[in-house]
Amino acid sequence: MKIVYLYTALLTIGGADRVISNKANYFAEKFGYDVTIITDSQGNVSPVFPLSPKVHLINLNIMFGQQYQHSILLRGYYYLKLMRKYKCRVIEELRKIKPDFTISAFGRELDYLPKLDDGSLKIEEVHVVKRYIRNFHRMENGSFLYRLVAKHWRKKMEDAVKKLTALVVLTEKDAVEWKSVCDHIYVVPNSLPFFDEESSDNSFKNIISVGRLSEEKGFDLLIEAWALIHDQYPEWRIQVYGEGLLKNDLEEMIKEKDIKSSFILKDPVKDIRKEYLSSSFLVSSSRFEGFGMALIEAMSCGLPCVSFDCPSGPSEIISDNVDGLLVKNGDIQELSEKIAYMIEHTDERKMMGQRAKKNVIRYSEDVIMERWRTLFNHLIEQKSK
């Protein structure tokens, strides 16, 4: 079976980059699929997460982002020029490879991908919950003009989705959100990138949080929550691993709240397992999630999680009061209370951690990749009818 992934670049630690790299490696190594990843802006940089020698990597070297070197008035023109080049190169490569499946992660090629007559079945993977995809929600909360633009682009997106062979989402809740658009929806969660034989003993005075330093991850809310209770737990600290545009803002907020010694922003690391294993539990303060990779990673290392019950992943991953604690979305006071509860109840924290490690096995690579193989076979069977 031949599979092609279209993805902008494998340059960041965590998130979709790691998911796609791991998936491509598994398909090639374990299933024997012929897998190619086509990137548009990889440049001469090696992927952050190594690819199997059996996975082909083709960089089209379009290098989106060049348009920002020009004035606002010219950016649109240069972007369209890059898009035309990108489309032509993608078509050229697909006709050479002749894949059975072309898979995109809701990238810029969505508009034209379903229309390509190259013989492959077209799949889109959605890594962000529907209502927040492509930041349409920000425009929809803006001026009349922004709302009008958002409405146009959302409709265009939904029209493209209707023409796909399959739309793959990460959670059952997000599948419900998409049912008004199409009925060819399949739920396949992300898989664990690792399952550590070791487990934290949950006795460290460290709380961990992981994610981009961006609005959706809600680290400003976590700062607010920790500021309410940090004086009660002077030996404890929260360590956040991530990078992003809000780093300076968050550092300023930490300084203002006078919690610099116990709330620490750290650079992302490739081997996050070590950090989970030296922590006692994870806190997620996201406003929304496509899934919640940090949750299942932490649980695989024996950590219980405290998380906002945000759309749309945490409630499908965490069993409340069994292997973690769910908090009303955006409720800073309750978040601080649940963090305090986890700190104070050592025995319960350890028991939750043990249950977390057992319960998260349902996201193991073997389990999830088998679901992908079943989906591929099902779609091919449908096509032959």
Side-chain angles (χ1 to χ4, degrees):
M1 187 179 296
K2 287 187 177 182
I3 296 174
V4 167
Y5 273 97
L6 300 177
Y7 194 65
T8 184
L10 298 165
L11 296 174
T12 60
I13 294 176
D17 291 32
R18 180 161 57 175
V19 169
I20 289 170
S21 299
N22 288 351
K23 199 180 299 179
N25 290 343
Y26 193 100
F27 288 165
E29 294 284 348
K30 299 292 181 69
F31 293 163
Y33 294 168
D34 185 340
V35 182
T36 301
I37 301 177
I38 298 176
T39 61
D40 56 67
S41 302
Q42 186 75 28
N44 296 318
V45 183
S46 298
V48 170
F49 297 101
L51 295 175
S52 162
K54 296 180 180 180
V55 174
H56 314 290
L57 179 63
I58 298 173
N59 177 38
L60 302 181
N61 209 31
I62 306 297
M63 303 309 290
F64 283 98
Q66 296 178 57
Q67 66 269 25
Y68 295 113
Q69 299 171 9
H70 304 279
S71 67
I72 292 175
L73 293 175
L74 291 175
R75 283 178 194 172
Y77 165 76
Y78 279 100
Y79 180 75
L80 291 174
K81 189 175 178 181
L82 292 170
M83 277 298 296
R84 282 194 296 272
K85 183 180 178 183
Y86 178 49
K87 181 178 178 180
C88 290
R89 291 294 309 280
V90 167
I91 293 171
E92 180 185 336
E93 293 297 337
L94 291 181
R95 285 177 178 166
K96 281 194 289 187
I97 297 168
K98 295 182 173 57
D100 297 293
F101 292 95
T102 302
I103 306 175
S104 168
F106 240 78
R108 52 177 60 88
E109 62 279 344
L110 172 63
D111 293 342
Y112 66 79
L113 185 62
K115 304 172 190 174
L116 294 186
D117 185 19
D118 65 306
S120 67
L121 299 176
K122 310 302 191 302
I123 298 176
E124 287 284 347
E125 296 182 9
V126 188
H127 291 265
V128 180
V129 66
K130 179 178 180 288
R131 74 183 75 169
Y132 297 113
I133 204 162
R134 293 185 172 178
N135 292 319
F136 286 148
H137 67 289
R138 291 178 182 169
M139 290 190 285
E140 288 165 342
N141 291 323
S143 66
F144 173 76
L145 182 59
Y146 275 115
R147 293 198 302 272
L148 204 61
V149 171
K151 184 177 180 181
H152 167 75
W153 283 107
R154 193 178 280 278
K155 184 179 185 305
K156 193 172 181 181
M157 174 192 75
E158 293 178 352
D159 287 344
V161 165
K162 291 174 185 176
K163 299 169 186 172
L164 294 167
T165 306
L167 180 72
V168 178
V169 299
L170 299 175
T171 66
E172 296 291 343
K173 285 187 176 179
D174 203 31
V176 172
E177 294 280 331
W178 281 102
K179 284 194 182 297
S180 62
V181 177
C182 63
D183 56 7
H184 43 272
I185 308 164
Y186 302 87
V187 179
V188 184
N190 287 332
S191 66
L192 282 165
F194 50 78
F195 187 84
D196 212 292
E197 292 301 319
E198 290 183 73
S199 291
S200 167
D201 67 5
N202 310 105
S203 63
F204 301 96
K205 299 293 194 288
N206 293 331
I207 304 164
I208 189 171
S209 194
V210 179
R212 292 183 310 280
L213 305 183
S214 54
E215 180 194 9
E216 64 268 25
K217 295 301 181 182
F219 290 121
D220 56 320
L221 306 179
L222 182 55
I223 291 170
E224 294 278 5
W226 184 242
L228 294 175
I229 60 170
H230 77 104
D231 283 340
Q232 302 170 42
Y233 311 105
E235 295 181 347
W236 284 76
R237 59 181 180 171
I238 294 180
Q239 297 184 104
V240 175
Y241 290 84
E243 59 185 357
L245 296 175
L246 295 185
K247 184 173 184 178
N248 291 339
D249 293 340
L250 294 173
E251 285 178 336
E252 187 60 33
M253 191 175 179
I254 291 166
K255 185 178 178 181
E256 288 175 2
K257 296 292 182 182
D258 196 22
I259 55 173
K260 194 173 181 180
S261 62
S262 63
F263 196 106
I264 302 157
L265 301 182
K266 307 196 80 168
D267 291 336
V269 294
K270 277 190 180 182
D271 188 6
I272 191 66
R273 287 179 292 185
K274 292 180 183 177
E275 314 310 329
Y276 289 133
L277 291 170
S278 59
S279 303
S280 282
F281 62 97
L282 176 137
V283 179
S284 173
S285 53
S286 294
R287 291 179 166 89
F288 59 89
E289 280 284 358
F291 178 61
M293 282 299 294
L295 298 178
I296 64 171
E297 289 172 1
M299 291 169 74
S300 77
C301 292
L303 300 189
C305 300
V306 177
S307 175
F308 280 141
D309 186 9
C310 66
S312 64
S315 64
E316 294 184 26
I317 296 171
I318 297 170
S319 296
D320 193 27
N321 290 303
V322 176
D323 52 24
L325 300 173
L326 290 172
V327 180
K328 182 181 177 183
N329 196 23
D331 191 326
I332 293 170
Q333 180 63 44
E334 185 182 357
L335 180 61
S336 68
E337 291 169 1
K338 291 294 177 70
I339 292 171
Y341 183 91
M342 196 68 84
I343 288 174
E344 293 175 6
H345 293 78
T346 305
D347 291 341
E348 192 167 352
R349 183 174 74 238
K350 292 184 176 185
M351 285 299 297
M352 283 187 180
Q354 292 170 17
R355 295 187 200 113
K357 195 174 185 74
K358 291 178 183 177
N359 292 347
V360 82
I361 292 174
R362 68 189 189 275
Y363 296 112
S364 71
E365 271 197 324
D366 290 343
V367 171
I368 299 302
M369 298 310 169
E370 191 58 44
R371 288 175 67 168
W372 272 104
R373 179 154 66 175
T374 299
L375 174 59
F376 291 145
N377 292 337
H378 168 71
L379 295 176
I380 288 175
E381 186 180 325
Q382 275 193 329
K383 181 184 179 182
S384 64
K385 286 182 179 179

